[in-house]
Amino acid sequence: QKEVEQNSGPLSVPEGAIASLNCTYSDRVSQSFFWYRQYSGKSPELIMSIYSNGDKEDGRFTAQLNKASQYVSLLIRDSQPSDSATYLCAVNQGGSSNTGKLIFGQGTTLQVKP
Amino acid sequence: GAGVSQSPSNKVTEKGKDVELRCDPISGHTALYWYRQSLGQGLEFLIYFQGNSAPDKSGLPSDRFSAERTGGSVSTLTIQRTQQEDSAVYLCASSLWGPTDTQYFGPGTRLTVL
Protein backbone atom coordinates (compact mmCIF):
# COMPACT_ATOMS: atom_id res chain seq x y z
CA GLN A 1 0.00 0.00 0.00
CA LYS A 2 1.33 3.41 -0.97
CA GLU A 3 1.75 5.84 1.89
CA VAL A 4 -0.25 8.56 0.15
CA GLU A 5 -2.70 7.61 -2.58
CA GLN A 6 -4.47 9.75 -5.12
CA ASN A 7 -6.45 8.95 -8.22
CA SER A 8 -4.18 10.01 -11.08
CA GLY A 9 -7.13 11.10 -13.22
CA PRO A 10 -7.50 13.02 -15.36
CA LEU A 11 -10.47 14.53 -13.61
CA SER A 12 -12.43 16.56 -16.10
CA VAL A 13 -15.02 19.13 -15.00
CA PRO A 14 -16.80 21.90 -16.86
CA GLU A 15 -16.02 25.51 -16.09
CA GLY A 16 -17.97 26.73 -13.08
CA ALA A 17 -18.42 23.27 -11.57
CA ILE A 18 -17.05 21.94 -8.30
CA ALA A 19 -13.91 19.81 -8.58
CA SER A 20 -13.39 17.26 -5.82
CA LEU A 21 -9.92 15.82 -5.29
CA ASN A 22 -9.33 13.04 -2.80
CA CYS A 23 -6.33 11.60 -1.00
CA THR A 24 -5.85 8.80 1.50
CA TYR A 25 -2.84 8.16 3.70
CA SER A 26 -1.56 5.19 5.64
CA ASP A 27 0.37 6.71 8.57
CA ARG A 28 -2.28 7.08 11.27
CA VAL A 29 -0.18 9.51 13.35
CA SER A 30 0.33 12.00 10.52
CA GLN A 31 -0.30 15.52 11.70
CA SER A 32 0.22 17.91 8.79
CA PHE A 33 -1.50 17.81 5.44
CA PHE A 34 -0.92 19.92 2.38
CA TRP A 35 -2.32 20.43 -1.08
CA TYR A 36 0.06 21.68 -3.74
CA ARG A 37 -0.74 22.67 -7.30
CA GLN A 38 1.78 21.99 -10.04
CA TYR A 39 1.48 23.37 -13.53
CA SER A 40 3.26 21.47 -16.26
CA GLY A 41 6.99 22.22 -16.17
CA LYS A 42 6.71 24.26 -12.99
CA SER A 43 7.47 23.58 -9.35
CA PRO A 44 4.73 22.85 -6.81
CA GLU A 45 3.03 25.77 -5.10
CA LEU A 46 1.07 25.55 -1.88
CA ILE A 47 -2.72 25.80 -2.13
CA MET A 48 -3.83 24.81 1.35
CA SER A 49 -2.54 23.36 4.58
CA ILE A 50 -4.73 21.67 7.18
CA TYR A 51 -3.89 20.26 10.57
CA SER A 52 -7.23 19.64 12.33
CA ASN A 53 -10.27 17.58 11.51
CA GLY A 54 -12.97 19.40 9.64
CA ASP A 55 -13.08 21.96 6.87
CA LYS A 56 -10.79 24.85 6.09
CA GLU A 57 -11.84 27.38 3.49
CA ASP A 58 -9.73 29.83 1.54
CA GLY A 59 -11.50 31.60 -1.29
CA ARG A 60 -12.69 29.03 -3.81
CA PHE A 61 -10.73 26.26 -2.11
CA THR A 62 -11.87 24.07 0.80
CA ALA A 63 -9.70 21.42 2.37
CA GLN A 64 -11.37 18.68 4.37
CA LEU A 65 -9.59 16.41 6.82
CA ASN A 66 -10.89 13.24 8.47
CA LYS A 67 -8.17 11.63 10.55
CA ALA A 68 -10.35 8.72 11.65
CA SER A 69 -10.86 7.71 8.03
CA GLN A 70 -7.37 8.85 7.02
CA TYR A 71 -8.43 10.95 4.12
CA VAL A 72 -8.02 14.53 3.06
CA SER A 73 -9.80 16.21 0.20
CA LEU A 74 -9.72 19.45 -1.73
CA LEU A 75 -12.80 21.07 -3.20
CA ILE A 76 -12.47 23.75 -5.84
CA ARG A 77 -15.65 25.77 -6.34
CA ASP A 78 -16.43 27.66 -9.54
CA SER A 79 -13.62 25.85 -11.35
CA GLN A 80 -11.75 27.91 -13.94
CA PRO A 81 -9.64 26.77 -16.90
CA SER A 82 -6.66 28.27 -15.05
CA ASP A 83 -7.21 25.65 -12.34
CA SER A 84 -6.15 22.97 -14.82
CA ALA A 85 -3.04 21.46 -13.28
CA THR A 86 -1.82 18.50 -11.26
CA TYR A 87 -2.81 18.60 -7.61
CA LEU A 88 -0.45 16.93 -5.19
CA CYS A 89 -1.50 15.75 -1.77
CA ALA A 90 1.34 15.74 0.77
CA VAL A 91 1.41 14.29 4.25
CA ASN A 92 4.03 14.93 6.88
CA GLN A 93 4.78 11.95 9.07
CA GLY A 94 3.82 12.62 12.64
CA GLY A 95 4.58 11.22 16.07
CA SER A 96 8.06 10.02 16.99
CA SER A 97 8.94 9.39 13.40
CA ASN A 98 8.49 12.99 12.40
CA THR A 99 11.73 13.49 10.57
CA GLY A 100 10.71 16.10 8.07
CA LYS A 101 9.78 13.73 5.32
CA LEU A 102 6.88 15.04 3.32
CA ILE A 103 5.28 12.15 1.49
CA PHE A 104 3.62 13.12 -1.76
CA GLY A 105 0.94 11.32 -3.65
CA GLN A 106 1.32 10.80 -7.38
CA GLY A 107 -1.01 13.71 -8.05
CA THR A 108 -4.40 14.11 -9.71
CA THR A 109 -4.56 15.87 -13.03
CA LEU A 110 -7.49 18.26 -13.23
CA GLN A 111 -8.84 19.51 -16.53
CA VAL A 112 -11.38 22.33 -16.46
CA LYS A 113 -13.10 22.65 -19.81
CA PRO A 114 -14.47 26.04 -20.95
CA GLY B 1 15.67 36.61 -1.09
CA ALA B 2 12.05 36.57 -2.11
CA GLY B 3 11.91 32.86 -2.73
CA VAL B 4 13.91 29.66 -2.98
CA SER B 5 16.44 29.80 -5.79
CA GLN B 6 18.26 26.94 -7.46
CA SER B 7 21.11 26.74 -9.90
CA PRO B 8 21.68 25.74 -12.56
CA SER B 9 18.19 25.64 -14.02
CA ASN B 10 19.29 23.02 -16.51
CA LYS B 11 22.25 20.69 -16.49
CA VAL B 12 23.24 18.24 -19.20
CA THR B 13 26.07 15.90 -18.36
CA GLU B 14 27.64 12.71 -19.58
CA LYS B 15 27.27 9.42 -17.81
CA GLY B 16 29.99 8.99 -15.22
CA LYS B 17 30.53 12.69 -14.55
CA ASP B 18 29.92 14.35 -11.19
CA VAL B 19 27.39 17.19 -10.83
CA GLU B 20 26.66 19.75 -8.13
CA LEU B 21 23.25 21.32 -7.67
CA ARG B 22 22.81 24.41 -5.52
CA CYS B 23 19.91 25.66 -3.44
CA ASP B 24 19.46 29.04 -1.75
CA PRO B 25 16.56 28.86 0.70
CA ILE B 26 14.30 31.69 1.73
CA SER B 27 16.19 33.96 4.09
CA GLY B 28 15.59 32.97 7.71
CA HIS B 29 14.26 29.50 6.92
CA THR B 30 15.96 26.94 9.13
CA ALA B 31 14.80 23.79 7.37
CA LEU B 32 15.78 22.76 3.85
CA TYR B 33 14.66 19.78 1.80
CA TRP B 34 15.70 18.09 -1.43
CA TYR B 35 13.30 16.14 -3.64
CA ARG B 36 13.47 14.76 -7.13
CA GLN B 37 10.72 14.31 -9.66
CA SER B 38 11.09 12.02 -12.62
CA LEU B 39 9.03 12.59 -15.75
CA GLY B 40 5.38 12.02 -14.99
CA GLN B 41 6.09 10.89 -11.46
CA GLY B 42 5.42 12.27 -8.03
CA LEU B 43 7.99 13.88 -5.78
CA GLU B 44 10.54 11.64 -4.12
CA PHE B 45 12.05 12.82 -0.84
CA LEU B 46 15.85 12.77 -0.74
CA ILE B 47 17.14 14.56 2.35
CA TYR B 48 16.17 17.09 5.01
CA PHE B 49 18.38 19.61 6.83
CA GLN B 50 17.60 21.31 10.13
CA GLY B 51 20.23 24.00 10.29
CA ASN B 52 23.42 22.38 9.07
CA SER B 53 22.62 18.88 10.23
CA ALA B 54 20.68 16.26 8.31
CA PRO B 55 18.33 14.31 10.62
CA ASP B 56 16.96 12.34 7.71
CA LYS B 57 19.05 11.08 4.81
CA SER B 58 16.84 8.08 4.21
CA GLY B 59 15.76 9.14 0.77
CA LEU B 60 19.19 9.31 -0.84
CA PRO B 61 19.01 6.55 -3.47
CA SER B 62 22.65 5.45 -3.28
CA ASP B 63 26.03 6.39 -1.87
CA ARG B 64 26.66 8.34 -5.08
CA PHE B 65 24.35 11.01 -3.68
CA SER B 66 25.44 13.38 -0.94
CA ALA B 67 24.39 16.77 0.32
CA GLU B 68 25.68 19.40 2.64
CA ARG B 69 24.50 22.68 4.04
CA THR B 70 26.80 25.33 5.38
CA GLY B 71 26.09 28.40 7.47
CA GLY B 72 22.50 27.30 7.88
CA SER B 73 21.77 28.61 4.42
CA VAL B 74 22.99 27.37 1.04
CA SER B 75 22.86 23.66 0.30
CA THR B 76 24.63 21.61 -2.35
CA LEU B 77 23.45 18.25 -3.64
CA THR B 78 26.25 16.27 -5.28
CA ILE B 79 25.76 13.29 -7.53
CA GLN B 80 28.91 11.33 -8.32
CA ARG B 81 29.39 9.11 -11.35
CA THR B 82 26.01 10.06 -12.77
CA GLN B 83 23.83 7.43 -14.38
CA GLN B 84 21.03 7.85 -16.89
CA GLU B 85 18.46 6.96 -14.25
CA ASP B 86 19.56 10.05 -12.31
CA SER B 87 17.88 12.19 -14.98
CA ALA B 88 15.08 14.10 -13.26
CA VAL B 89 14.09 17.49 -11.93
CA TYR B 90 15.72 18.12 -8.57
CA LEU B 91 13.62 20.35 -6.36
CA CYS B 92 14.69 22.17 -3.24
CA ALA B 93 12.28 23.50 -0.63
CA SER B 94 12.62 25.40 2.61
CA SER B 95 10.41 26.01 5.62
CA LEU B 96 10.62 28.47 8.49
CA TRP B 97 11.01 26.18 11.47
CA GLY B 98 10.78 22.55 10.59
CA PRO B 99 8.88 19.58 9.28
CA THR B 100 5.34 20.58 10.11
CA ASP B 101 5.64 23.97 8.46
CA THR B 102 4.69 24.78 4.92
CA GLN B 103 7.48 24.01 2.48
CA TYR B 104 8.15 26.48 -0.31
CA PHE B 105 9.70 25.11 -3.45
CA GLY B 106 12.33 26.48 -5.76
CA PRO B 107 12.07 26.30 -9.56
CA GLY B 108 14.12 23.11 -9.74
CA THR B 109 17.17 21.94 -11.67
CA ARG B 110 16.49 19.74 -14.67
CA LEU B 111 19.29 17.18 -14.88
CA THR B 112 19.82 15.19 -18.06
CA VAL B 113 22.41 12.45 -18.09
CA LEU B 114 23.36 11.36 -21.59
Side-chain angles (χ1 to χ4, degrees):
Chain A
Q1 179 188 7
K2 292 182 180 178
E3 294 178 83
V4 179
E5 293 204 52
Q6 296 180 255
N7 188 322
S8 61
L11 172 66
S12 183
V13 300
E15 184 175 356
I18 296 175
S20 178
L21 305 164
N22 300 310
C23 171
T24 58
Y25 59 94
S26 61
D27 184 356
R28 184 169 290 278
V29 297
S30 295
Q31 297 178 359
S32 308
F33 307 86
F34 305 87
W35 282 100
Y36 284 85
R37 177 176 63 196
Q38 187 174 28
Y39 292 112
S40 181
K42 302 294 184 181
S43 58
E45 56 179 335
L46 182 72
I47 297 295
M48 294 279 286
S49 60
I50 187 166
Y51 303 92
S52 304
N53 278 328
D55 295 0
K56 179 181 178 182
E57 185 174 322
D58 183 1
R60 295 186 295 113
F61 299 94
T62 299
Q64 299 174 318
L65 175 61
N66 184 323
K67 291 186 178 181
S69 300
Q70 294 176 243
Y71 85 79
V72 57
S73 63
L74 180 70
L75 300 179
I76 306 174
R77 290 182 298 282
D78 187 24
S79 296
Q80 301 298 307
S82 58
D83 294 327
S84 298
T86 296
Y87 289 80
L88 301 167
C89 172
V91 176
N92 182 266
Q93 291 179 332
S96 60
S97 65
N98 186 2
T99 58
K101 184 180 298 185
L102 199 60
I103 307 298
F104 282 83
Q106 290 294 98
T108 298
T109 299
L110 173 65
Q111 297 175 347
V112 180
K113 298 190 174 181
Chain B
V4 179
S5 61
Q6 293 185 246
S7 61
S9 55
N10 280 284
K11 176 70 176 180
V12 179
T13 190
E14 295 180 347
K15 177 181 175 181
K17 300 285 188 182
D18 297 352
V19 295
E20 282 190 356
L21 312 179
R22 175 188 168 107
C23 172
D24 275 282
I26 293 172
S27 179
H29 280 197
T30 61
L32 185 147
Y33 315 81
W34 283 99
Y35 298 87
R36 74 175 176 182
Q37 187 172 34
S38 301
L39 189 62
Q41 300 298 311
L43 275 73
E44 176 188 4
F45 171 84
L46 297 179
I47 189 170
Y48 149 60
F49 286 94
Q50 187 69 49
N52 291 335
S53 64
D56 190 348
K57 305 178 182 179
S58 64
L60 295 178
S62 75
D63 58 8
R64 296 186 296 105
F65 287 72
S66 63
E68 65 176 12
R69 188 181 186 196
T70 56
S73 181
V74 172
S75 176
T76 303
L77 177 69
T78 301
I79 308 173
Q80 296 178 311
R81 305 181 301 281
T82 52
Q83 303 295 310
Q84 289 184 332
E85 60 263 29
D86 300 334
S87 296
V89 175
Y90 289 80
L91 290 160
C92 176
S94 70
S95 68
L96 183 59
W97 294 117
T100 57
D101 295 331
T102 298
Q103 297 181 21
Y104 297 90
F105 284 82
T109 293
R110 182 175 298 277
L111 174 66
T112 303
V113 182
L114 301 176

